[in-house]
Amino acid sequence: MFPIDIRPDKFSAEMLDYSRKLGQGMENLLNADAIDTGVTPKDVVYSEDKLVLYRYQRPSDVAQQAVPLLVVYALVNRPYMTDIQEDRSTIKGLLATGQDVYLIDWGYPDQADCALTLDDYINGYIDRCVDHICETHGIDKVNILGICQGGAFSLMYTALHPEKVQNLVTMVTPVDFKTPDNLLSAWVQNIDIDLAVDTMGNIPGELLNWTFLSLKPFSLTGQKYVNMVDLLDDPNKVKNFLRMEKWIFDSPDQAGETFREFIKDFYQQNAFINGTAKVGNHPVDLKQITCPVLNIYAMQDHLVPPDASKALNGLTGSQDYTELAFPGGHIGIYVSGKAQKEVTPAIGKWLNERAS
Amino acid sequence: MSNETLFNDDWLKLQQRYWDGLAEMGRKALGTESAGASNPWQAAMDQWWKTLSPGASQPGQEFMDRLMEQGKSYFETVEKLTKGIAGTDMTQGWDTITRNLEDMQKAFMGGMADGDNSMRRMAGFWEMPLDNWQRMVSSLSPMMPGDLLRNMPHNPMQGDVERMLSAPGLGYSREEQGQYQDLIRRSMDYQRALQEYTGFFSKLGMKSVERMRDFLQAHADGSKPIDSARTLYDSWVSCCEAVYAEEVATPEYARIHGQLVNAEMALKKRMSVMVDESLGAMNMPTRSELRTLQERLQENRRENKHLRRELEMIKRSLAGAEKKPAAAAAKKAPVRKKAAATPAGNASQG
């Protein structure tokens, strides 16, 4: 059999159909309002420099847990991914399980922030947010949910301040930065990070975007748009797609000194695995983490491969360590329909079972 | 706005005519004419979008630009793969597809030989990783377009230029000469790195064509031929992505990738130093001075926040110490003890 049977009339019909859909999509694009992100009502409860700490408003019909949950997002991309739209919101799901949810928004660092270090972020900003929450609630400990790089920060924070963390949840968090399937890690080994930071000050979001898109360039910068044409006739789908597009390209610059430390210590030196992690002058010993730990990873994660996250098992001093594997990718773990049904309720249940 | 207005009847009619014509040519087994990059469909599409895009919101415009760009790439790819196969029998069909694939490979090979121009013509699709890089470089260096050094010939004259650059500067302006020599040297390093990077992608392109050939041969054993442009395009993307995933996981790619980023940074750094020197000569603050101030300021802020926190703790412990005698006194009076317990209880309920 000859493998291709595309008749010219069929080809032309496909092309016209594509044009027609583009035309319809144009109307939806013209009518698209400004893209809103972050759908759950929230209040600013603390701010410092460019950091804003939000507290989400709880649903009136759900009894709230006494120990609040602080979400620590990565410095890369923006935290509204966790609350991207009404029916795809990790935050909303957590509130529904009775969590009192706080979230740190790191903002957009500029050149004035280039000297911020890991110590400033972890022993400074995160610690002051935790203190603020503890003071507000009259408690000594909070629950922490760390996401991706924010998970690595949360591990360091919990190891350095174990007395302030009741339960720790890590989501798609890199621990072993040198697993064989970690493309990002492989690529960064030959980069002169000192030269990059000394040259640029802050590391531009564009450079990070380029790196992430380079992981799957043809799918992420080509095929995705061709496939999208099929959905253009639905205004809601157009808006949802634009929302995701906004998030993908909404990459804050990275404070130079923090980037230098994080990439050199972790991506190049694999500091958690080699036991060389430190924040400022404080060595980080993951064995100091004795609280319950829930480690969630995505099985099709191309940014943080599953093995990179699973390496946490056995590294902490916790006697209550649980893993949860999600059948999806790095982004799907927050925004997919499946994640809303599986991941968020599981986090809530796990935390509620450990509420004292 | 109605669909009729948006569609722009003229645009659709023009496309319809073009595609009717092409279909007719295919039916006559004459579909060997390539539509080329400037075919009426693309031209009409571009014109249509230029007219309408100012009315779209900014994110909508960017999004639509990408859709248009990828739409063109989609049809170009399918046209190149299927050129001349309509109406052919099995043997002729295989001959034609083999020729098309060979043409694609030649284009990639040409890309390696002549500074990748032919590769650029061949497949806009394979431009994506390079295009992404150039967009990024342009955003970092507004004064230096991302493709500034891409096609500049360098090999034939490289030895002479390097000899010239290694000559020491002379006279009163020798330091300045040295800086310019270093700038040119770094430009050449970046150009070399960029060409090695594009060369790597040329090789990937050829491997992808091979993978596509294997895929089509395997598909010939199946029960149903590929009968839509979209399926063919998706298959091509899968082949490219699979080859890409294999190749970029190699140490060779990690080296090329690192070399490209480092060369770009080294060039940018040299430019920054020169800009700094000019600013310094005009008694203006330089980036380097600002960086020093930023570091000192951050150090001060860090200490300040630390001291403030210690002060808070001291205040609290002092307040606690003052409360203790009061609480001890309260223990002697049962009525006051009950009153003191209430606020603490409230606080613990959050």
Side-chain angles (χ1 to χ4, degrees):
Chain A
M1 177 191 76
F2 187 66
I4 301 174
D5 182 22
I6 302 175
R7 297 191 317 275
D9 56 334
K10 177 126 192 278
F11 185 26
S12 62
E14 272 191 81
M15 194 151 186
L16 276 173
D17 189 46
Y18 189 89
S19 306
R20 193 170 293 114
K21 284 173 178 167
L22 271 179
Q24 284 169 343
M26 180 64 200
E27 174 147 352
N28 289 330
L29 285 169
L30 284 173
N31 292 335
D33 305 325
I35 302 302
D36 53 334
T37 48
V39 292
T40 308
K42 57 186 184 294
D43 302 303
V44 175
V45 292
Y46 175 78
S47 63
E48 179 183 344
D49 302 336
K50 295 188 173 69
L51 173 153
V52 176
L53 178 66
Y54 290 106
R55 184 182 188 183
Y56 286 90
Q57 293 174 15
R58 62 173 178 166
S60 55
D61 56 342
V62 179
Q64 213 161 33
Q65 294 294 333
V67 179
L69 174 66
L70 173 63
V71 179
V72 180
Y73 198 78
L75 302 177
V76 181
N77 286 110
R78 302 282 294 135
Y80 56 77
M81 167 53 72
T82 58
D83 192 31
I84 192 100
Q85 66 190 61
E86 197 63 39
D87 56 343
R88 305 279 162 107
S89 168
T90 302
I91 297 293
K92 203 173 165 191
L94 290 169
L95 289 168
T97 66
Q99 311 310 314
D100 188 351
V101 183
Y102 288 79
L103 178 139
I104 296 176
D105 182 342
W106 301 112
Y108 295 86
D110 58 29
Q111 286 292 345
D113 301 302
C114 74
L116 286 173
T117 61
L118 277 180
D119 192 23
D120 294 319
Y121 275 102
I122 294 168
N123 288 323
Y125 290 139
I126 294 180
D127 195 39
R128 286 190 285 275
C129 285
V130 169
D131 284 351
H132 175 86
I133 297 169
C134 286
E135 278 175 31
T136 303
H137 291 260
I139 54 177
D140 298 324
K141 295 181 176 187
V142 297
N143 294 327
I144 291 184
L145 166 57
I147 293 174
C148 190
Q149 183 192 31
F153 283 16
S154 302
L155 284 169
M156 289 186 257
Y157 180 78
T158 309
L160 293 168
H161 305 272
E163 74 286 356
K164 293 186 181 181
V165 183
Q166 177 102 3
N167 298 292
L168 173 64
V169 182
T170 52
M171 272 179 99
V172 288
T173 293
V175 176
D176 182 350
F177 287 75
K178 288 200 171 180
T179 53
D181 51 352
N182 192 332
L183 266 190
L184 283 180
S185 173
W187 292 353
V188 88
Q189 299 305 319
N190 291 295
I191 292 181
D192 185 340
I193 300 299
D194 287 331
L195 175 64
V197 173
D198 292 346
T199 303
M200 308 291 296
N202 288 340
I203 297 299
E206 288 88 351
L207 185 60
L208 302 180
N209 263 341
W210 169 69
T211 307
F212 295 138
L213 292 177
S214 296
L215 289 169
K216 289 187 174 186
F218 309 107
S219 311
L220 297 178
T221 58
Q223 189 184 32
K224 175 176 80 170
Y225 298 102
V226 173
N227 291 342
M228 182 55 207
V229 172
D230 289 334
L231 308 176
L232 278 178
D233 54 350
D234 183 334
N236 286 328
K237 284 180 179 162
V238 169
K239 198 159 183 185
N240 292 345
F241 194 91
L242 288 177
R243 206 176 270 131
M244 280 302 294
E245 283 290 282
K246 176 178 173 169
W247 179 82
I248 286 167
F249 293 102
D250 193 357
S251 298
D253 295 347
Q254 302 295 297
E257 290 308 317
T258 300
F259 186 84
R260 189 198 306 268
E261 287 180 282
F262 193 72
I263 301 298
K264 287 177 75 174
D265 291 356
F266 292 93
Y267 274 96
Q268 293 184 338
Q269 305 296 328
N270 213 3
F272 281 143
I273 299 300
N274 294 328
T276 53
K278 62 178 172 30
V279 175
N281 295 320
H282 312 285
V284 174
D285 177 7
L286 292 181
K287 290 285 179 201
Q288 295 300 314
I289 301 176
T290 52
C291 67
V293 176
L294 172 61
N295 186 20
I296 307 169
Y297 59 91
M299 289 190 281
Q300 280 87 48
D301 195 331
H302 68 292
L303 291 171
V304 180
D307 286 346
S309 295
K310 287 157 75 178
L312 183 61
N313 192 1
L315 286 185
T316 71
S318 176
Q319 299 298 308
D320 181 0
Y321 174 86
T322 311
E323 273 181 9
L324 176 64
F326 172 72
H330 193 78
I331 310 301
I333 201 166
Y334 317 109
V335 300
S336 70
K338 189 177 249 189
Q340 314 307 313
K341 288 179 196 149
E342 292 181 12
V343 178
T344 322
I347 296 172
K349 182 169 179 282
W350 185 87
L351 286 170
N352 291 346
E353 285 169 357
R354 285 156 184 80
S356 54
Chain B
M1 199 177 282
S2 71
N3 274 355
E4 283 73 22
T5 313
L6 280 175
F7 276 145
N8 191 329
D9 284 347
D10 292 342
W11 171 61
L12 272 182
K13 276 177 195 163
L14 179 61
Q15 284 194 28
Q16 182 71 64
R17 278 205 302 278
Y18 171 67
W19 285 104
D20 286 347
L22 192 68
E24 183 61 25
M25 285 164 74
R27 275 192 286 275
K28 293 177 183 170
L30 293 173
T32 51
E33 288 294 316
S34 170
S38 57
N39 68 48
W41 182 81
Q42 285 188 16
M45 206 170 179
D46 283 341
Q47 188 55 43
W48 169 77
W49 178 233
K50 271 180 200 159
T51 312
L52 289 175
S53 60
S57 62
Q58 186 59 30
Q61 269 191 35
E62 288 170 10
F63 177 46
M64 203 69 182
D65 282 342
R66 289 199 181 102
L67 289 180
M68 301 287 284
E69 205 175 300
Q70 293 313 317
K72 285 186 239 171
S73 170
Y74 160 35
F75 283 104
E76 264 180 20
T77 303
V78 174
E79 274 192 317
K80 280 180 171 58
L81 283 166
T82 60
K83 190 171 67 181
I85 63 168
T88 57
D89 61 23
M90 178 83 134
T91 313
Q92 289 171 326
W94 272 116
D95 287 347
T96 308
I97 196 88
T98 302
R99 193 172 56 242
N100 290 348
L101 292 169
E102 280 171 1
D103 285 348
M104 289 169 81
Q105 279 200 315
K106 276 182 202 159
F108 282 118
M109 286 166 70
M112 286 198 295
D114 71 0
D116 71 273
N117 272 338
S118 55
M119 186 188 83
R120 298 177 74 180
R121 285 195 301 272
M122 202 313 284
F125 185 77
W126 268 95
E127 280 287 281
M128 283 175 217
L130 303 172
D131 187 51
N132 289 339
W133 167 258
Q134 284 168 0
R135 280 171 201 246
M136 192 275 295
V137 168
S138 297
S139 73
L140 301 191
S141 308
M143 291 166 65
M144 189 180 84
D147 57 357
L148 179 69
L149 299 172
R150 180 169 171 164
N151 295 315
M152 202 178 278
H154 71 292
N155 286 334
M157 55 189 292
Q158 189 178 325
D160 294 338
V161 173
E162 278 176 357
R163 264 201 304 281
M164 184 191 81
L165 292 175
S166 62
L170 295 169
Y172 185 69
S173 62
R174 64 186 181 281
E175 280 186 21
E176 198 180 350
Q177 281 177 48
Q179 286 187 2
Y180 278 104
Q181 283 173 331
D182 194 42
L183 179 67
I184 296 169
R185 205 176 290 122
R186 286 170 198 269
S187 302
M188 289 173 63
D189 288 346
Y190 174 66
Q191 188 191 359
R192 258 193 300 270
L194 184 58
Q195 292 200 345
E196 196 171 356
Y197 186 74
T198 55
F200 183 85
F201 279 94
S202 298
K203 281 190 262 175
L204 285 194
M206 288 195 288
K207 287 181 181 173
S208 298
V209 174
E210 277 301 319
R211 189 67 58 92
M212 188 67 185
R213 191 197 317 270
D214 294 345
F215 167 79
L216 290 173
Q217 278 166 353
H219 201 81
D221 299 332
S223 57
K224 188 173 175 288
I226 296 167
D227 61 356
S228 79
R230 177 64 66 83
T231 310
L232 188 63
Y233 170 79
D234 287 345
S235 306
W236 169 241
V237 173
S238 299
C239 289
C240 293
E241 206 72 272
V243 168
Y244 179 85
E246 289 163 14
E247 297 295 326
V248 298
T250 59
E252 189 202 355
Y253 179 76
R255 181 187 64 75
I256 291 171
H257 176 272
Q259 187 176 267
L260 181 68
V261 175
N262 293 342
E264 155 70 4
M265 291 302 155
L267 174 59
K268 194 171 165 55
K269 185 167 190 194
R270 169 46 60 194
M271 292 164 97
S272 302
V273 168
M274 292 174 75
V275 169
D276 259 12
E277 299 222 343
S278 301
L279 288 170
M282 291 185 284
N283 202 25
M284 301 277 283
T286 67
R287 167 59 61 196
S288 151
E289 289 164 358
L290 282 174
R291 190 71 48 78
T292 304
L293 286 174
Q294 284 160 348
E295 280 165 12
R296 287 181 188 165
L297 182 63
Q298 183 55 29
E299 187 60 37
N300 282 343
R301 282 162 51 83
R302 199 177 291 133
E303 282 176 13
N304 190 305
K305 286 176 181 180
H306 185 70
L307 289 172
R308 199 184 299 165
R309 173 176 279 198
E310 283 191 343
L311 196 61
E312 281 297 318
M313 286 166 66
I314 291 168
K315 276 186 188 170
R316 279 184 203 174
S317 66
L318 279 175
E322 282 169 7
K323 274 182 188 170
K324 271 182 190 169
K331 273 185 182 176
K332 293 175 187 170
V335 178
R336 288 186 68 195
K337 180 183 171 185
K338 194 176 175 184
T342 308
N346 281 345
S348 69
Q349 287 163 19

